[in-house]
Amino acid sequence: MDWLITLLQGIGYVFLHPLFYIGFFTMLLIGVARVKRERSDFHTKVYDFLDETVISLLPGIITGLVISIVAIGLGIVVSIELLIAITVIYLLAIATTQVRWISPFFVIPIAVFGMLLFAFKPWTISVPLFGNFSFEFSESLLVYTVIIMALLLIGEGVLVRTNGHKNTSPKYLKSKRGMLVGAHESKRLWFVPVFLLLPNGLLPSVDFWPVLTIGEQGTYSIILVPFLVGFHQLIKSSMPVPFIQKTGNRIILLGVFVGLVSVGAYFYTYLAFVAASLALAGKEILWIRMRQQDERKTEHFTPQTSGVMILGIIPRSPAAKMQLRVGEVIVKVNGQRVNDQLQFYDALQKNSAFCKLEVKDEDGEIRFAQTALYDGEHHQLGVLLLKAEYELQNSVV
């Protein structure tokens, strides 16, 4: 039962870690800022301010558990000093307000470069009640650090691909020609708790489990470390789902490549610094290239020559019940052709009890959607359309 007590103690550590509370507070701030911007654009919120936290929580935890199994299986051991350094860098990243920098690809490489400095000049600090902390890092710890960095980078790619495209937020932008166009934004912060080993604790050993052994063997304690994984992408040139999934795929490939280099650091320690550089520079280059690719192409959400394009759907609205989708074009409302929001609203008023839409999907196929409207719903169908050049009192129809 000693190992179970050790495991529970390790889980309890996460509730003492400042990143646990600061991370969730940052998630809430992201949601509040999004709702404020949506109200400015559409005079209503699209998703609740807790949406980012709710939809990202379970995927992040599952990703952390998978990484934990691999990390403990490989026998990856960290030090308290490393965790302190990572926490400090995380806090600095959060202070920049750049969500995409609140991520292991940014935080851990800086910690690795710091290890290089401490290799020349070790540093010891004394903290009351906690004792002395010696920032003098070994080669084995350096290797372990870049391996966990690679695992987290792969995990980030998986999260982006599977979860980053959910509930993207519609917004208005000005094109290079000064036209009002639509876009979708994904700004997500995942909480990824990972079990790691600390020396001088207790962990049951399993003889048949493959373990990467570097340095002296001993007993270990297990600790649950909260990692934060940030992601931010603005999409103007296409539908958000395939674009974000493509980004996720590329992050996974980058993570695999960094992982191979990190394994090489087991034999040649200097490759650890190469792996850290690849993670930091590679992720930034990938972000810049995806942004440039989006900028070069024509905007996707633009005024149509015939019909009005759906920029967003409010959850649990009549539009959601009719299974209308972002990117579809509404050609007719109650038998009347529409080309802007005012025409859409006027056509909707012709029948306050029933709504029939003629919709053109992304493949150009025409389909029909209809629903009954009830008191108070006739002006709140729940579709978000591009504004015309004139302002409306309410952008939601």
Side-chain angles (χ1 to χ4, degrees), residues 231-334:
F231 174 72
H232 181 206
Q233 193 160 56
L234 180 68
I235 305 100
K236 298 182 293 183
S237 64
S238 69
M239 293 291 291
V241 174
F243 194 93
I244 293 175
Q245 287 180 335
K246 183 178 180 180
T247 300
N249 290 337
R250 292 184 175 183
I251 295 175
I252 292 173
L253 290 176
L254 175 63
V256 171
F257 183 66
V258 170
L260 293 175
V261 177
S262 299
V263 171
Y266 172 66
F267 304 99
Y268 305 99
T269 307
Y270 71 88
L271 288 178
F273 298 104
V274 175
S277 301
L278 285 173
L280 182 59
K283 183 69 187 305
E284 278 296 291
I285 292 172
L286 173 60
W287 183 81
I288 292 172
R289 289 192 61 181
M290 295 300 289
R291 186 183 64 178
Q292 290 175 340
Q293 178 182 326
D294 186 60
E295 292 283 350
R296 284 195 298 265
K297 294 184 179 180
T298 305
E299 292 87 358
H300 183 74
F301 297 98
T302 57
Q304 304 295 300
T305 56
S306 176
V308 287
M309 179 176 282
I310 300 175
L311 180 59
I313 301 291
I314 297 178
R316 297 175 294 278
S317 65
K321 295 174 185 177
M322 286 193 289
Q323 298 184 340
L324 298 180
R325 298 180 180 87
V326 172
E328 292 184 323
V329 177
I330 300 174
V331 180
K332 291 183 181 180
V333 178
N334 293 329

Side-chain angles (χ1 to χ4, degrees), residues 109-130:
I110 293 179
V112 169
F113 300 144
M115 289 183 186
L116 180 62
L117 297 178
F118 288 122
F120 293 102
K121 186 176 178 59
W123 185 36
T124 300
I125 60 173
S126 179
V127 180
L129 302 179
F130 292 96

